[in-house]
Amino acid sequence: MVFPTKTVRLIPEALLPFVYDRDGNATSVVLLDGRVAGVWSLGDDDTDLEIRVAPFGRFITGQWTVIELESGVIGGLAGSERVRVVRCDEAPNLVEGRRNLFLRPLK
């Protein structure tokens, strides 16, 4: 069996501080085409579930549609009656942020 000599990363090195904190804890990520394209976190209310999403770059309309559909699946699993996707401008730097920011970075 021949293995490729070049390893392809799921996330560019420049984005690592937005996914991993200084202790190596990772936050929840949005995957598009097998690559990390942003981060997401849950809001505080379980009845009206809020899912906050911050892309790395820009998502096109079709990508937001997929995110909204997948958010509905998460809401169903969580037992929420309604799910609302909130589009956030940018993800915080977890390495420079407060302790445990990885748990809910988009609050």
Side-chain angles (χ1 to χ4, degrees), residues 10-42:
L10 297 175
I11 180 169
E13 193 170 336
L15 296 177
L16 290 175
F18 300 95
V19 175
Y20 296 96
D21 70 7
R22 63 182 151 269
D23 296 322
N25 299 305
T27 194
S28 301
V29 296
V30 176
L31 292 176
L32 291 174
D33 298 325
R35 301 226 184 246
V36 175
V39 298
W40 67 276
S41 63
L42 297 175

Short mmCIF file of all heavy atoms in Angstrom, two decimals, residues 10-42:
data_model
loop_
_atom_site.label_atom_id
_atom_site.label_comp_id
_atom_site.label_asym_id
_atom_site.label_seq_id
_atom_site.Cartn_x
_atom_site.Cartn_y
_atom_site.Cartn_z
N LEU A 10 -7.37 19.29 7.99
CA LEU A 10 -8.78 19.66 7.96
C LEU A 10 -8.96 21.14 8.23
O LEU A 10 -10.01 21.69 7.93
CB LEU A 10 -9.56 18.86 9.00
CG LEU A 10 -9.58 17.36 8.81
CD1 LEU A 10 -10.30 16.69 9.97
CD2 LEU A 10 -10.25 17.00 7.50
N ILE A 11 -7.96 21.76 8.81
CA ILE A 11 -8.04 23.17 9.17
C ILE A 11 -6.69 23.83 8.95
O ILE A 11 -5.66 23.29 9.35
CB ILE A 11 -8.51 23.33 10.63
CG1 ILE A 11 -8.60 24.79 11.03
CG2 ILE A 11 -7.63 22.59 11.58
CD1 ILE A 11 -9.29 25.01 12.35
N PRO A 12 -6.67 25.00 8.31
CA PRO A 12 -5.39 25.70 8.14
C PRO A 12 -4.80 26.10 9.49
O PRO A 12 -5.53 26.40 10.43
CB PRO A 12 -5.77 26.93 7.32
CG PRO A 12 -7.08 26.62 6.70
CD PRO A 12 -7.76 25.66 7.65
N GLU A 13 -3.51 26.10 9.57
CA GLU A 13 -2.82 26.42 10.82
C GLU A 13 -3.23 27.77 11.39
O GLU A 13 -3.35 27.94 12.60
CB GLU A 13 -1.30 26.37 10.60
CG GLU A 13 -0.53 26.38 11.88
CD GLU A 13 0.95 26.08 11.67
OE1 GLU A 13 1.30 25.44 10.67
OE2 GLU A 13 1.73 26.49 12.53
N ALA A 14 -3.49 28.75 10.54
CA ALA A 14 -3.87 30.09 10.99
C ALA A 14 -5.21 30.10 11.74
O ALA A 14 -5.47 31.01 12.53
CB ALA A 14 -3.94 31.04 9.80
N LEU A 15 -6.05 29.09 11.52
CA LEU A 15 -7.35 29.05 12.18
C LEU A 15 -7.36 28.21 13.45
O LEU A 15 -8.36 28.18 14.17
CB LEU A 15 -8.40 28.51 11.21
CG LEU A 15 -8.66 29.36 9.98
CD1 LEU A 15 -9.67 28.68 9.06
CD2 LEU A 15 -9.15 30.75 10.36
N LEU A 16 -6.27 27.56 13.77
CA LEU A 16 -6.21 26.70 14.97
C LEU A 16 -6.59 27.43 16.25
O LEU A 16 -7.31 26.87 17.08
CB LEU A 16 -4.83 26.07 15.10
CG LEU A 16 -4.50 25.00 14.05
CD1 LEU A 16 -3.04 24.53 14.21
CD2 LEU A 16 -5.45 23.83 14.13
N PRO A 17 -6.17 28.70 16.48
CA PRO A 17 -6.56 29.39 17.73
C PRO A 17 -8.05 29.68 17.83
O PRO A 17 -8.54 30.03 18.90
CB PRO A 17 -5.76 30.70 17.69
CG PRO A 17 -4.71 30.51 16.67
CD PRO A 17 -5.22 29.49 15.71
N PHE A 18 -8.79 29.54 16.74
CA PHE A 18 -10.23 29.77 16.76
C PHE A 18 -11.01 28.48 17.00
O PHE A 18 -12.21 28.51 17.20
CB PHE A 18 -10.67 30.43 15.46
CG PHE A 18 -9.99 31.75 15.22
CD1 PHE A 18 -8.85 31.82 14.44
CD2 PHE A 18 -10.47 32.90 15.82
CE1 PHE A 18 -8.21 33.02 14.23
CE2 PHE A 18 -9.84 34.11 15.63
CZ PHE A 18 -8.70 34.18 14.83
N VAL A 19 -10.30 27.36 16.98
CA VAL A 19 -10.91 26.05 17.20
C VAL A 19 -10.41 25.42 18.51
O VAL A 19 -11.17 24.79 19.22
CB VAL A 19 -10.65 25.11 16.01
CG1 VAL A 19 -11.18 23.70 16.29
CG2 VAL A 19 -11.28 25.67 14.74
N TYR A 20 -9.14 25.62 18.84
CA TYR A 20 -8.53 25.03 20.04
C TYR A 20 -8.08 26.12 21.01
O TYR A 20 -7.49 27.11 20.58
CB TYR A 20 -7.30 24.19 19.67
CG TYR A 20 -7.62 23.00 18.81
CD1 TYR A 20 -7.50 23.05 17.43
CD2 TYR A 20 -8.05 21.81 19.39
CE1 TYR A 20 -7.81 21.97 16.64
CE2 TYR A 20 -8.36 20.71 18.60
CZ TYR A 20 -8.24 20.80 17.23
OH TYR A 20 -8.54 19.72 16.45
N ASP A 21 -8.34 25.89 22.31
CA ASP A 21 -7.85 26.84 23.30
C ASP A 21 -6.42 26.48 23.71
O ASP A 21 -5.85 25.51 23.19
CB ASP A 21 -8.80 26.94 24.50
CG ASP A 21 -8.83 25.70 25.38
OD1 ASP A 21 -8.04 24.76 25.17
OD2 ASP A 21 -9.68 25.66 26.29
N ARG A 22 -5.86 27.20 24.63
CA ARG A 22 -4.45 27.00 25.02
C ARG A 22 -4.20 25.66 25.69
O ARG A 22 -3.07 25.19 25.78
CB ARG A 22 -3.95 28.16 25.88
CG ARG A 22 -4.65 28.31 27.19
CD ARG A 22 -4.12 29.51 27.98
NE ARG A 22 -5.12 30.08 28.84
CZ ARG A 22 -5.97 31.05 28.52
NH1 ARG A 22 -5.93 31.58 27.33
NH2 ARG A 22 -6.87 31.48 29.37
N ASP A 23 -5.28 25.00 26.18
CA ASP A 23 -5.14 23.68 26.80
C ASP A 23 -5.43 22.54 25.83
O ASP A 23 -5.41 21.37 26.23
CB ASP A 23 -6.07 23.57 28.01
CG ASP A 23 -5.70 24.55 29.11
OD1 ASP A 23 -4.49 24.75 29.33
OD2 ASP A 23 -6.61 25.12 29.73
N GLY A 24 -5.72 22.86 24.58
CA GLY A 24 -5.99 21.83 23.57
C GLY A 24 -7.44 21.42 23.46
O GLY A 24 -7.77 20.49 22.74
N ASN A 25 -8.34 22.12 24.18
CA ASN A 25 -9.77 21.83 24.09
C ASN A 25 -10.33 22.42 22.80
O ASN A 25 -10.04 23.57 22.46
CB ASN A 25 -10.52 22.44 25.28
CG ASN A 25 -10.06 21.88 26.59
OD1 ASN A 25 -10.07 20.68 26.79
ND2 ASN A 25 -9.62 22.75 27.49
N ALA A 26 -11.14 21.65 22.09
CA ALA A 26 -11.72 22.09 20.82
C ALA A 26 -13.16 22.51 21.00
O ALA A 26 -13.90 21.92 21.80
CB ALA A 26 -11.63 20.98 19.79
N THR A 27 -13.58 23.50 20.24
CA THR A 27 -14.98 23.91 20.22
C THR A 27 -15.70 23.17 19.09
O THR A 27 -15.07 22.43 18.33
CB THR A 27 -15.11 25.44 20.07
OG1 THR A 27 -16.46 25.82 20.37
CG2 THR A 27 -14.73 25.90 18.67
N SER A 28 -16.98 23.35 18.96
CA SER A 28 -17.77 22.71 17.91
C SER A 28 -17.51 23.41 16.59
O SER A 28 -17.46 24.64 16.53
CB SER A 28 -19.26 22.80 18.25
OG SER A 28 -19.52 22.18 19.48
N VAL A 29 -17.33 22.63 15.53
CA VAL A 29 -16.98 23.20 14.23
C VAL A 29 -18.02 22.88 13.17
O VAL A 29 -18.76 21.91 13.26
CB VAL A 29 -15.59 22.71 13.75
CG1 VAL A 29 -14.49 23.17 14.69
CG2 VAL A 29 -15.57 21.20 13.58
N VAL A 30 -18.07 23.73 12.16
CA VAL A 30 -18.89 23.53 10.97
C VAL A 30 -17.98 22.92 9.91
O VAL A 30 -16.92 23.47 9.61
CB VAL A 30 -19.47 24.87 10.45
CG1 VAL A 30 -20.24 24.66 9.17
CG2 VAL A 30 -20.33 25.53 11.52
N LEU A 31 -18.39 21.78 9.38
CA LEU A 31 -17.62 21.14 8.31
C LEU A 31 -18.34 21.33 6.98
O LEU A 31 -19.53 21.09 6.88
CB LEU A 31 -17.48 19.64 8.56
CG LEU A 31 -16.62 19.21 9.74
CD1 LEU A 31 -16.68 17.70 9.90
CD2 LEU A 31 -15.19 19.66 9.55
N LEU A 32 -17.60 21.78 5.99
CA LEU A 32 -18.11 21.89 4.62
C LEU A 32 -17.11 21.21 3.71
O LEU A 32 -15.92 21.55 3.72
CB LEU A 32 -18.28 23.35 4.20
CG LEU A 32 -19.40 24.13 4.89
CD1 LEU A 32 -19.36 25.59 4.48
CD2 LEU A 32 -20.75 23.53 4.57
N ASP A 33 -17.57 20.23 2.98
CA ASP A 33 -16.70 19.47 2.08
C ASP A 33 -15.50 18.88 2.81
O ASP A 33 -14.38 18.85 2.29
CB ASP A 33 -16.24 20.34 0.90
CG ASP A 33 -17.40 20.80 0.04
OD1 ASP A 33 -18.37 20.03 -0.10
OD2 ASP A 33 -17.35 21.94 -0.46
N GLY A 34 -15.71 18.43 4.04
CA GLY A 34 -14.67 17.78 4.81
C GLY A 34 -13.63 18.69 5.42
O GLY A 34 -12.63 18.23 5.96
N ARG A 35 -13.86 19.98 5.37
CA ARG A 35 -12.92 20.95 5.96
C ARG A 35 -13.64 21.82 6.99
O ARG A 35 -14.82 22.10 6.86
CB ARG A 35 -12.36 21.86 4.88
CG ARG A 35 -11.63 21.10 3.80
CD ARG A 35 -10.33 21.78 3.50
NE ARG A 35 -9.67 21.11 2.40
CZ ARG A 35 -8.55 20.46 2.53
NH1 ARG A 35 -7.95 20.41 3.68
NH2 ARG A 35 -7.99 19.88 1.50
N VAL A 36 -12.90 22.26 8.00
CA VAL A 36 -13.47 23.15 9.00
C VAL A 36 -13.70 24.51 8.35
O VAL A 36 -12.78 25.12 7.83
CB VAL A 36 -12.54 23.26 10.22
CG1 VAL A 36 -13.07 24.28 11.21
CG2 VAL A 36 -12.38 21.90 10.89
N ALA A 37 -14.97 24.95 8.38
CA ALA A 37 -15.34 26.21 7.72
C ALA A 37 -15.86 27.25 8.69
O ALA A 37 -16.17 28.38 8.28
CB ALA A 37 -16.39 25.93 6.65
N GLY A 38 -15.99 26.90 9.96
CA GLY A 38 -16.49 27.84 10.96
C GLY A 38 -16.69 27.14 12.28
O GLY A 38 -16.35 25.96 12.43
N VAL A 39 -17.25 27.87 13.24
CA VAL A 39 -17.55 27.31 14.55
C VAL A 39 -19.02 27.58 14.88
O VAL A 39 -19.64 28.46 14.30
CB VAL A 39 -16.64 27.87 15.67
CG1 VAL A 39 -15.18 27.53 15.40
CG2 VAL A 39 -16.81 29.36 15.83
N TRP A 40 -19.55 26.79 15.81
CA TRP A 40 -20.93 27.00 16.25
C TRP A 40 -21.03 26.72 17.73
O TRP A 40 -20.20 26.02 18.31
CB TRP A 40 -21.92 26.14 15.46
CG TRP A 40 -21.82 24.67 15.68
CD1 TRP A 40 -20.96 23.80 15.05
CD2 TRP A 40 -22.58 23.87 16.59
NE1 TRP A 40 -21.17 22.53 15.51
CE2 TRP A 40 -22.15 22.53 16.46
CE3 TRP A 40 -23.60 24.16 17.50
CZ2 TRP A 40 -22.70 21.50 17.20
CZ3 TRP A 40 -24.14 23.12 18.25
CH2 TRP A 40 -23.69 21.81 18.08
N SER A 41 -22.05 27.29 18.36
CA SER A 41 -22.33 27.00 19.76
C SER A 41 -23.82 27.17 20.03
O SER A 41 -24.54 27.81 19.26
CB SER A 41 -21.50 27.89 20.70
OG SER A 41 -21.81 29.24 20.55
N LEU A 42 -24.27 26.57 21.11
CA LEU A 42 -25.66 26.64 21.49
C LEU A 42 -25.95 27.86 22.33
O LEU A 42 -25.08 28.33 23.08
CB LEU A 42 -26.05 25.38 22.29
CG LEU A 42 -25.94 24.05 21.56
CD1 LEU A 42 -26.23 22.91 22.53
CD2 LEU A 42 -26.89 24.01 20.38
#
